[in-house]
Amino acid sequence: MRIKLSMIAVLLVISNFVKAQDDLKSYLTLPQELAKNANAVIRLSETVVDVKAINDMEVTQKRIVTVLNENGLKQIGAVVWYDNDIKVKNVEVRIYDQAGRQIKKIRERDFQDVSAVDGATMYTDSRVKYLDYTPISYPFTAEFTSAIQTKNTANVRGFRPLGYYVGVQKSSYKIYYPLSFTVHKKELNLEEFGVIKDEKEGKLVYSIENVSGIKPEAYSPSEADLKPSVFLALNKFNYDGVTAEINNWDEFGKWMYQNLLNGRATVDEATKAKIRSLILDATTDREKAKIIYEYMQNKTRYISVQVGIGGFQPIPAEEVDTVGYGDCKGLSNYMMALLKIAGIESYYTHVEAGDEIVGFYDDFASLAQGNHVILNIPNNGDDIWLECTSQKVPFGHIGKFTDDRNVLVITPEGGKLKHTKKYTTEENLQETTGMYTLDANGNIKAQATIKTQGIQYDNRYYLEDRSDVDKDKYYKRYFQTVNNVNIDNIELKNDKKDIAFTEKIAFNADAYGVATGDRMLFAPNAFNRLTSIPDRYRNRKFPLEIQRGYYDQDAYEITLPSDYTIEAIPEDVLYETKFGTYSYSITQKDDQTLQYKRTFKINDGLYPKEEYKNYRKFIKKIVRYDGSKIVLIKK
């Protein structure tokens, strides 16, 4: 009797579980508060990572996602990456209509299966299976299940349950591991979002429930700093047949140097002789390094190469020297080999590259951090950082792709965290000078010179490689506050020695000055007017962050039409806040000539969310000042 009762209880539990799962497949059971600000709602996400041995890990995933519109399709997440060491055991998608009725089943053979390469990748064994599905209507629900098995245990999937414009009903993550292993973890923003953690020997569980969609906000910190995230790494792992035991960055660097780099930075005698001849007359290490860097740029080109110990090992320098191409790993290693010939110490460096500043965590070592390689020259404490994948970037300029962040410098003695160059507000300089003449019909003829440095240089130097047609379009957009612009001439100069980009543009335009009766109105700032005001948020959620400051200086000479005189002119302005400063002045040199001067400085910084409205007010005032008008009247 007891056995029958137990069996009935078990069947009831299973029945209730199945019913609960079925409820998740219907849009009709979706809590509508979760759909707020959402293109899709994750009804259920279950990820299980089972580490069975140092070279055996299985990852299973189940996702039930209600897609509300076309922008939510990617939230299904029906993508599986694999290679020679990752075996796909199962992948399937089932599609349900609004009422939760199954209308389609998509098996593994129906998935798209392509090489995981881009146009700049020559060698890779990575492939990807992905769902290519066009729904009949919205909303609908997709159930995605997958299972993969891999020998590589260096990269352990973490827990990042939230994204922008997606609600979450329930998401959980479990990892099982042998008791002889240690799982290192970096946990971010868990309490703020109510993430529940359950940790036992050999098992770690995270879960989160009932979170509405989150909208991105302008000038907010990076997603990693805002949302709940857990990064995980095993202290013992296997990577393409190479095992390691790592607990910190020092040990990590030693392992990388010994297993990935050692012995791969050599070239033949002919190349050594070539380098020695190039630097024969150079007197300093910096001068020698610059000569060698420019030689490397002229000799090589970038092509992605994803082979050799999981795509983390550079191809040998001697091979790069022969074929003339490589990826960031191979080119940085090649440059290191060339510098060694000149007796210049340099180090292979891992970095998390991108315009958004994201650095390595100093208390959490893992192979998953870093997506790019650059080179570090210690230079007696005045570090030089080299971007080795570009034929255009000047020596020692890293720009906004890798600036101001923690990076891992790999030395024979171990790994060391260093911080790349931070460009100061004053270094990120744009100077605009010029003159324009306004005639009696309001037409202008103008000449402007724009010189940029620092991060602002990054925003401009690429223009010299654009076609004439693209340059014409670019400058018409740039001078968008002047209607009907006709570009007369463009001269560009890229000064790689001083790392400054100079643009000289001549243009004319009709009716810049607006005539009304005997009067004419025009904005004196014709070359560098701020027009965009940051978005307004009634209930801002995130802090305000300005990652990089910059500084603009403008000086223009304005010649007025001879048959007009000045009736009204804006007063000088000096506006100072914690976010930056702004000033302009207009000086009358004679009856027909004005001198316009303007400065605008934005400071980098992190501020509480309450300060955003004050920052927006600051920018809004500057937009108004930049649009201030001079009134002329006929003599």
Side-chain angles (χ1 to χ4, degrees):
M1 182 67 180
R2 287 181 181 177
I3 294 174
K4 287 184 178 179
L5 288 173
S6 298
M7 288 295 293
I8 291 170
V10 169
L11 289 171
L12 283 171
V13 168
I14 293 173
S15 175
N16 288 334
F17 176 76
V18 171
K19 184 177 185 299
Q21 295 274 300
D22 286 341
D23 286 345
L24 296 175
K25 297 165 187 173
S26 170
Y27 170 75
L28 304 177
T29 61
L30 172 67
Q32 286 305 301
E33 63 272 15
L34 299 182
K36 183 181 179 182
N37 300 325
N39 296 318
V41 177
I42 297 172
R43 313 296 296 276
L44 178 69
S45 176
E46 296 177 331
T47 300
V48 179
V49 178
D50 187 3
V51 182
K52 299 175 180 179
I54 195 170
N55 61 350
D56 188 4
M57 179 170 68
E58 185 171 288
V59 181
T60 59
Q61 188 176 18
K62 180 174 185 176
R63 286 171 67 88
I64 301 175
V65 181
T66 297
V67 181
L68 305 176
N69 56 55
E70 184 180 0
N71 293 324
L73 283 171
K74 64 182 179 181
Q75 297 300 336
I76 297 172
V79 178
V80 177
W81 302 82
Y82 70 101
D83 56 26
N84 292 335
D85 292 304
I86 300 175
K87 179 184 177 183
V88 179
K89 298 179 67 177
N90 171 58
V91 59
E92 180 182 279
V93 171
R94 298 185 185 213
I95 305 296
Y96 303 88
D97 65 12
Q98 279 196 54
R101 295 182 291 263
Q102 182 176 320
I103 57 175
K104 192 174 182 64
K105 182 176 180 179
I106 304 165
R107 296 179 173 84
E108 181 177 346
R109 65 174 178 267
D110 301 316
F111 275 60
Q112 300 293 314
D113 189 337
V114 297
S115 178
V117 302
D118 55 31
T121 303
M122 180 164 285
Y123 303 127
T124 181
D125 59 3
S126 296
R127 296 189 65 82
V128 60
K129 294 177 185 284
Y130 69 92
L131 173 68
D132 184 10
Y133 174 69
T134 301
I136 300 170
S137 62
Y138 296 96
F140 72 93
T141 298
E143 180 183 15
F144 169 59
T145 56
S146 69
I148 61 105
Q149 189 166 21
T150 177
K151 299 175 184 177
N152 289 336
T153 52
N155 284 326
V156 178
R157 184 184 300 221
F159 182 54
R160 289 177 286 281
L162 303 184
Y164 289 129
Y165 296 116
V166 56
V168 174
Q169 190 165 353
K170 184 173 183 179
S171 179
S172 68
Y173 174 95
K174 298 176 184 177
I175 180 170
Y176 300 94
Y177 55 93
L179 297 181
S180 58
F181 283 58
T182 298
V183 173
H184 298 298
K185 50 190 177 293
K186 182 70 177 179
E187 300 171 333
L188 302 169
N189 308 310
L190 301 191
E191 290 184 11
E192 292 87 335
F193 286 86
V195 174
I196 297 171
K197 174 183 173 182
D198 182 18
E199 186 170 15
K200 297 184 175 71
E201 280 193 341
K203 178 184 177 183
L204 185 57
V205 180
Y206 298 93
S207 62
I208 187 172
E209 294 185 11
N210 299 322
V211 180
S212 300
I214 300 172
K215 293 175 70 173
E217 295 176 342
Y219 298 99
S220 59
S222 67
E223 284 194 56
D225 293 330
L226 296 175
K227 297 176 183 176
S229 302
V230 181
F231 300 93
L232 300 166
L234 299 170
N235 69 318
K236 294 183 284 189
F237 62 80
N238 170 72
Y239 203 65
D240 272 19
V242 180
T243 59
E245 184 165 351
I246 290 169
N247 295 285
N248 52 54
W249 286 122
D250 179 59
E251 295 174 357
F252 191 95
K254 286 178 184 174
W255 176 79
M256 287 201 71
Y257 179 82
Q258 292 167 4
N259 292 279
L260 306 185
L261 301 179
N262 195 21
R264 302 180 81 82
T266 60
V267 292
D268 61 26
E269 292 301 323
T271 299
K272 290 179 182 178
K274 175 69 174 177
I275 295 299
R276 292 187 185 112
S277 68
L278 287 173
I279 62 173
L280 193 61
D281 297 326
T283 57
T284 67
D285 281 353
R286 187 180 186 91
E287 187 182 356
K288 293 175 185 176
K290 184 174 184 292
I291 292 169
I292 295 170
Y293 180 72
E294 290 173 353
Y295 168 81
M296 183 275 300
Q297 285 182 305
N298 292 328
K299 181 179 173 63
T300 63
R301 59 193 173 95
Y302 174 84
I303 289 181
S304 179
V305 182
Q306 302 297 329
V307 295
I309 309 191
F312 276 85
Q313 187 176 54
I315 60 176
E318 195 163 7
E319 185 175 338
V320 175
D321 192 45
T322 300
V323 299
Y325 59 75
D327 61 6
C328 62
K329 305 180 296 294
L331 295 174
S332 297
N333 183 63
Y334 177 56
M335 181 64 190
M336 184 168 65
L338 299 181
L339 289 172
K340 189 188 300 183
I341 299 165
I344 298 172
E345 180 184 38
S346 65
Y347 298 114
Y348 191 90
T349 301
H350 266 221
V351 57
E352 186 69 29
D355 289 355
E356 189 175 67
I357 297 173
V358 178
F360 280 39
Y361 298 113
D362 56 6
D363 58 350
F364 176 71
S366 74
L367 198 62
Q369 295 179 73
N371 59 6
H372 188 54
V373 174
I374 57 177
L375 200 65
N376 170 242
I377 303 177
N379 194 37
N380 297 317
D382 184 18
D383 290 82
I384 299 169
W385 303 95
L386 298 181
E387 171 56 64
C388 298
T389 62
S390 170
Q391 286 77 44
K392 299 295 182 181
V393 172
F395 174 81
H397 180 78
I398 54 173
K400 61 185 178 182
F401 195 52
T402 52
D403 68 316
D404 192 22
R405 65 200 74 192
N406 283 344
V407 298
L408 178 65
V409 177
I410 299 168
T411 76
E413 294 75 34
K416 304 179 189 304
L417 287 186
K418 282 190 174 184
H419 202 84
T420 57
K421 175 179 173 60
K422 174 181 172 64
Y423 292 86
T424 66
T425 295
E426 289 72 20
E427 286 178 307
N428 298 330
L429 177 65
Q430 175 176 295
E431 297 175 287
T432 304
T433 57
M435 61 181 66
Y436 65 86
T437 300
L438 190 69
D439 69 18
N441 296 314
N443 306 325
I444 67 168
K445 192 168 183 62
Q447 293 179 334
T449 299
I450 306 167
K451 182 180 179 181
T452 48
Q453 296 174 280
I455 295 300
Q456 299 221 56
Y457 169 90
D458 259 24
N459 299 333
R460 317 293 281 238
Y461 77 89
Y462 66 88
L463 289 169
E464 67 175 339
D465 294 324
R466 293 283 185 91
S467 69
D468 290 344
V469 171
D470 286 343
K471 289 174 187 173
D472 186 83
K473 289 179 180 178
Y474 172 84
Y475 286 109
K476 284 179 178 177
R477 287 195 303 271
Y478 183 77
F479 297 115
Q480 62 182 321
T481 57
V482 181
N483 294 325
N484 309 309
V485 168
N486 298 300
I487 304 298
D488 297 321
N489 189 51
I490 300 170
E491 294 180 24
L492 306 178
K493 180 185 177 183
N494 189 1
D495 182 350
K496 291 189 176 183
K497 180 180 179 182
D498 292 330
I499 312 182
F501 191 69
T502 302
E503 307 153 70
K504 293 184 178 181
I505 307 99
F507 68 87
N508 68 84
D510 296 337
Y512 181 64
V514 179
T516 56
D518 290 339
R519 289 173 174 81
M520 183 185 295
L521 288 76
F522 73 98
N525 187 353
F527 296 151
N528 188 22
R529 195 189 309 177
L530 187 66
T531 59
S532 177
I533 299 171
D535 291 339
R536 182 183 177 190
Y537 304 101
R538 293 187 181 277
N539 297 296
R540 187 172 171 95
K541 301 290 192 298
F542 302 133
L544 162 68
E545 183 175 35
I546 303 167
Q547 289 200 331
R548 299 177 182 90
Y550 60 90
Y551 187 32
D552 285 4
Q553 291 181 328
D554 306 312
Y556 322 143
E557 186 173 279
I558 305 166
T559 301
L560 305 176
S562 59
D563 48 351
Y564 279 82
T565 188
I566 297 171
E567 181 181 51
I569 194 166
E571 293 183 356
D572 293 354
V573 169
L574 176 59
Y575 183 28
E576 296 178 301
T577 73
K578 67 178 71 177
F579 310 112
T581 59
Y582 174 88
S583 71
Y584 78 73
S585 64
I586 304 173
T587 306
Q588 189 166 355
K589 295 177 67 176
D590 55 46
D591 288 345
Q592 304 306 130
T593 310
L594 300 177
Q595 183 71 39
Y596 174 86
K597 290 186 177 180
R598 171 186 181 270
T599 65
F600 177 38
K601 180 189 290 187
I602 288 287
N603 300 320
D604 63 287
L606 180 63
Y607 307 91
K609 65 181 181 180
E610 291 78 14
E611 290 288 353
Y612 180 81
K613 63 181 180 182
N614 294 324
Y615 173 73
R616 185 175 182 273
K617 187 186 299 182
F618 171 61
I619 298 299
K620 192 174 181 180
K621 275 193 177 182
I622 292 168
V623 169
R624 189 173 78 244
Y625 290 142
D626 270 0
S628 297
K629 302 288 194 301
I630 291 175
V631 181
L632 305 179
I633 189 167
K634 281 187 177 180
K635 292 179 179 178

